[in-house]
Amino acid sequence: MIREGVASELVWATLAAGNYLGFGQTMNIQVAVLCDAATDDNGKLNLLGAFDTIYTQQLPATHPQCSIALRVTFFSGDEGKHNLRFNFVDADGGSIMPDFPPIAVDVALPEDMHFGTRNFIVNIQQLKFENPGLYSIDIMLDDQPQASIPLLVKHNPPAT
């Protein structure tokens, strides 16, 4: 005898397992972060200093170096050629780095693999902010939004 509610729990567990195994699953961004630095060591994503706020005493401000780090899982339905794009925008949606080139991604899984995970690291130098406020890094695959990394730039002028 199945008591009320248990059947739906069993169905949910089965659906969750199916999604985990990649049945009908599409790409999944496991990690999307702005950090001081990132490396890929044989498939391991190493992050240093993840952050979401930059404090500056003067404007315009220049952040000397940072990295966008992504860890993405692809499933069999994702096989083929794709374009991964980043758009760094201000609060009004204006691009502050309009020349971000797309990254060509070719997904091909061996027959014995249900999924494949890839790390993507984009290093940025001399990132300039004219104004304080909210910014974001919007992530798109084949022009479809996938994730957004928020960033706050706070102006803290020196005490006089």
PDB file of all heavy atoms in Angstrom, residues 119-134:
ATOM      1  N   ASN A 119      35.688  23.457 -18.474  1.00  0.00           N
ATOM      2  CA  ASN A 119      35.951  24.715 -17.780  1.00  0.00           C
ATOM      3  C   ASN A 119      36.304  25.767 -18.824  1.00  0.00           C
ATOM      4  O   ASN A 119      37.015  25.494 -19.790  1.00  0.00           O
ATOM      5  CB  ASN A 119      37.111  24.554 -16.801  1.00  0.00           C
ATOM      6  CG  ASN A 119      36.800  23.554 -15.714  1.00  0.00           C
ATOM      7  OD1 ASN A 119      35.677  23.459 -15.246  1.00  0.00           O
ATOM      8  ND2 ASN A 119      37.791  22.777 -15.309  1.00  0.00           N
ATOM      9  N   PHE A 120      35.805  26.981 -18.598  1.00  0.00           N
ATOM     10  CA  PHE A 120      36.103  28.121 -19.460  1.00  0.00           C
ATOM     11  C   PHE A 120      36.618  29.243 -18.575  1.00  0.00           C
ATOM     12  O   PHE A 120      35.978  29.584 -17.574  1.00  0.00           O
ATOM     13  CB  PHE A 120      34.852  28.594 -20.212  1.00  0.00           C
ATOM     14  CG  PHE A 120      34.275  27.549 -21.112  1.00  0.00           C
ATOM     15  CD1 PHE A 120      33.289  26.696 -20.652  1.00  0.00           C
ATOM     16  CD2 PHE A 120      34.724  27.417 -22.418  1.00  0.00           C
ATOM     17  CE1 PHE A 120      32.748  25.722 -21.475  1.00  0.00           C
ATOM     18  CE2 PHE A 120      34.185  26.444 -23.251  1.00  0.00           C
ATOM     19  CZ  PHE A 120      33.196  25.590 -22.780  1.00  0.00           C
ATOM     20  N   ILE A 121      37.770  29.799 -18.938  1.00  0.00           N
ATOM     21  CA  ILE A 121      38.369  30.892 -18.166  1.00  0.00           C
ATOM     22  C   ILE A 121      38.675  32.031 -19.133  1.00  0.00           C
ATOM     23  O   ILE A 121      39.333  31.827 -20.158  1.00  0.00           O
ATOM     24  CB  ILE A 121      39.659  30.423 -17.467  1.00  0.00           C
ATOM     25  CG1 ILE A 121      39.333  29.284 -16.498  1.00  0.00           C
ATOM     26  CG2 ILE A 121      40.331  31.590 -16.746  1.00  0.00           C
ATOM     27  CD1 ILE A 121      40.548  28.546 -15.979  1.00  0.00           C
ATOM     28  N   VAL A 122      38.168  33.210 -18.800  1.00  0.00           N
ATOM     29  CA  VAL A 122      38.440  34.401 -19.599  1.00  0.00           C
ATOM     30  C   VAL A 122      39.141  35.398 -18.693  1.00  0.00           C
ATOM     31  O   VAL A 122      38.580  35.821 -17.672  1.00  0.00           O
ATOM     32  CB  VAL A 122      37.137  35.013 -20.159  1.00  0.00           C
ATOM     33  CG1 VAL A 122      37.430  36.294 -20.920  1.00  0.00           C
ATOM     34  CG2 VAL A 122      36.404  34.007 -21.031  1.00  0.00           C
ATOM     35  N   ASN A 123      40.370  35.746 -19.041  1.00  0.00           N
ATOM     36  CA  ASN A 123      41.144  36.711 -18.256  1.00  0.00           C
ATOM     37  C   ASN A 123      40.915  38.114 -18.807  1.00  0.00           C
ATOM     38  O   ASN A 123      40.933  38.318 -20.022  1.00  0.00           O
ATOM     39  CB  ASN A 123      42.633  36.359 -18.295  1.00  0.00           C
ATOM     40  CG  ASN A 123      42.908  35.022 -17.632  1.00  0.00           C
ATOM     41  OD1 ASN A 123      42.424  34.764 -16.538  1.00  0.00           O
ATOM     42  ND2 ASN A 123      43.656  34.169 -18.294  1.00  0.00           N
ATOM     43  N   ILE A 124      40.690  39.048 -17.893  1.00  0.00           N
ATOM     44  CA  ILE A 124      40.415  40.441 -18.267  1.00  0.00           C
ATOM     45  C   ILE A 124      41.441  41.326 -17.571  1.00  0.00           C
ATOM     46  O   ILE A 124      41.642  41.205 -16.356  1.00  0.00           O
ATOM     47  CB  ILE A 124      38.997  40.860 -17.835  1.00  0.00           C
ATOM     48  CG1 ILE A 124      37.951  39.930 -18.447  1.00  0.00           C
ATOM     49  CG2 ILE A 124      38.732  42.315 -18.216  1.00  0.00           C
ATOM     50  CD1 ILE A 124      36.568  40.122 -17.883  1.00  0.00           C
ATOM     51  N   GLN A 125      42.057  42.214 -18.338  1.00  0.00           N
ATOM     52  CA  GLN A 125      43.027  43.139 -17.751  1.00  0.00           C
ATOM     53  C   GLN A 125      42.579  44.574 -17.994  1.00  0.00           C
ATOM     54  O   GLN A 125      41.969  44.887 -19.003  1.00  0.00           O
ATOM     55  CB  GLN A 125      44.406  42.899 -18.348  1.00  0.00           C
ATOM     56  CG  GLN A 125      44.893  41.512 -18.006  1.00  0.00           C
ATOM     57  CD  GLN A 125      46.364  41.333 -18.290  1.00  0.00           C
ATOM     58  OE1 GLN A 125      47.052  42.238 -18.721  1.00  0.00           O
ATOM     59  NE2 GLN A 125      46.839  40.139 -18.038  1.00  0.00           N
ATOM     60  N   GLN A 126      42.879  45.423 -17.004  1.00  0.00           N
ATOM     61  CA  GLN A 126      42.587  46.859 -17.074  1.00  0.00           C
ATOM     62  C   GLN A 126      41.104  47.126 -17.326  1.00  0.00           C
ATOM     63  O   GLN A 126      40.732  47.895 -18.220  1.00  0.00           O
ATOM     64  CB  GLN A 126      43.458  47.533 -18.130  1.00  0.00           C
ATOM     65  CG  GLN A 126      44.954  47.335 -17.930  1.00  0.00           C
ATOM     66  CD  GLN A 126      45.426  47.831 -16.566  1.00  0.00           C
ATOM     67  OE1 GLN A 126      45.105  48.929 -16.159  1.00  0.00           O
ATOM     68  NE2 GLN A 126      46.174  46.999 -15.841  1.00  0.00           N
ATOM     69  N   LEU A 127      40.260  46.507 -16.518  1.00  0.00           N
ATOM     70  CA  LEU A 127      38.818  46.693 -16.621  1.00  0.00           C
ATOM     71  C   LEU A 127      38.463  48.057 -16.039  1.00  0.00           C
ATOM     72  O   LEU A 127      38.719  48.336 -14.883  1.00  0.00           O
ATOM     73  CB  LEU A 127      38.095  45.576 -15.862  1.00  0.00           C
ATOM     74  CG  LEU A 127      36.583  45.568 -15.898  1.00  0.00           C
ATOM     75  CD1 LEU A 127      36.064  45.513 -17.336  1.00  0.00           C
ATOM     76  CD2 LEU A 127      36.062  44.376 -15.101  1.00  0.00           C
ATOM     77  N   LYS A 128      37.852  48.917 -16.870  1.00  0.00           N
ATOM     78  CA  LYS A 128      37.604  50.303 -16.480  1.00  0.00           C
ATOM     79  C   LYS A 128      36.124  50.537 -16.176  1.00  0.00           C
ATOM     80  O   LYS A 128      35.253  50.103 -16.923  1.00  0.00           O
ATOM     81  CB  LYS A 128      38.053  51.250 -17.597  1.00  0.00           C
ATOM     82  CG  LYS A 128      38.095  52.692 -17.179  1.00  0.00           C
ATOM     83  CD  LYS A 128      38.754  53.541 -18.243  1.00  0.00           C
ATOM     84  CE  LYS A 128      38.901  54.963 -17.766  1.00  0.00           C
ATOM     85  NZ  LYS A 128      39.584  55.797 -18.729  1.00  0.00           N
ATOM     86  N   PHE A 129      35.876  51.224 -15.049  1.00  0.00           N
ATOM     87  CA  PHE A 129      34.526  51.606 -14.636  1.00  0.00           C
ATOM     88  C   PHE A 129      34.474  53.119 -14.517  1.00  0.00           C
ATOM     89  O   PHE A 129      35.199  53.713 -13.725  1.00  0.00           O
ATOM     90  CB  PHE A 129      34.169  50.979 -13.283  1.00  0.00           C
ATOM     91  CG  PHE A 129      34.181  49.480 -13.306  1.00  0.00           C
ATOM     92  CD1 PHE A 129      35.289  48.770 -12.898  1.00  0.00           C
ATOM     93  CD2 PHE A 129      33.070  48.785 -13.766  1.00  0.00           C
ATOM     94  CE1 PHE A 129      35.292  47.386 -12.923  1.00  0.00           C
ATOM     95  CE2 PHE A 129      33.065  47.400 -13.794  1.00  0.00           C
ATOM     96  CZ  PHE A 129      34.182  46.701 -13.370  1.00  0.00           C
ATOM     97  N   GLU A 130      33.599  53.735 -15.317  1.00  0.00           N
ATOM     98  CA  GLU A 130      33.447  55.181 -15.277  1.00  0.00           C
ATOM     99  C   GLU A 130      32.628  55.626 -14.076  1.00  0.00           C
ATOM    100  O   GLU A 130      32.853  56.702 -13.530  1.00  0.00           O
ATOM    101  CB  GLU A 130      32.774  55.685 -16.568  1.00  0.00           C
ATOM    102  CG  GLU A 130      33.582  55.439 -17.821  1.00  0.00           C
ATOM    103  CD  GLU A 130      34.851  56.280 -17.881  1.00  0.00           C
ATOM    104  OE1 GLU A 130      34.888  57.382 -17.288  1.00  0.00           O
ATOM    105  OE2 GLU A 130      35.809  55.822 -18.525  1.00  0.00           O
ATOM    106  N   ASN A 131      31.666  54.791 -13.673  1.00  0.00           N
ATOM    107  CA  ASN A 131      30.720  55.163 -12.624  1.00  0.00           C
ATOM    108  C   ASN A 131      30.542  54.030 -11.623  1.00  0.00           C
ATOM    109  O   ASN A 131      30.709  52.858 -11.968  1.00  0.00           O
ATOM    110  CB  ASN A 131      29.351  55.477 -13.246  1.00  0.00           C
ATOM    111  CG  ASN A 131      29.432  56.617 -14.219  1.00  0.00           C
ATOM    112  OD1 ASN A 131      29.820  57.720 -13.858  1.00  0.00           O
ATOM    113  ND2 ASN A 131      29.079  56.353 -15.476  1.00  0.00           N
ATOM    114  N   PRO A 132      30.133  54.392 -10.397  1.00  0.00           N
ATOM    115  CA  PRO A 132      29.765  53.341  -9.446  1.00  0.00           C
ATOM    116  C   PRO A 132      28.402  52.768  -9.847  1.00  0.00           C
ATOM    117  O   PRO A 132      27.694  53.345 -10.671  1.00  0.00           O
ATOM    118  CB  PRO A 132      29.665  54.091  -8.114  1.00  0.00           C
ATOM    119  CG  PRO A 132      29.290  55.480  -8.495  1.00  0.00           C
ATOM    120  CD  PRO A 132      29.972  55.725  -9.827  1.00  0.00           C
ATOM    121  N   GLY A 133      28.055  51.625  -9.287  1.00  0.00           N
ATOM    122  CA  GLY A 133      26.733  51.059  -9.550  1.00  0.00           C
ATOM    123  C   GLY A 133      26.771  49.583  -9.837  1.00  0.00           C
ATOM    124  O   GLY A 133      27.774  48.899  -9.611  1.00  0.00           O
ATOM    125  N   LEU A 134      25.639  49.108 -10.356  1.00  0.00           N
ATOM    126  CA  LEU A 134      25.475  47.696 -10.659  1.00  0.00           C
ATOM    127  C   LEU A 134      25.929  47.382 -12.074  1.00  0.00           C
ATOM    128  O   LEU A 134      25.629  48.126 -13.016  1.00  0.00           O
ATOM    129  CB  LEU A 134      24.015  47.290 -10.501  1.00  0.00           C
ATOM    130  CG  LEU A 134      23.453  47.336  -9.094  1.00  0.00           C
ATOM    131  CD1 LEU A 134      21.946  47.090  -9.123  1.00  0.00           C
ATOM    132  CD2 LEU A 134      24.146  46.314  -8.213  1.00  0.00           C
TER     133      LEU A 134
END
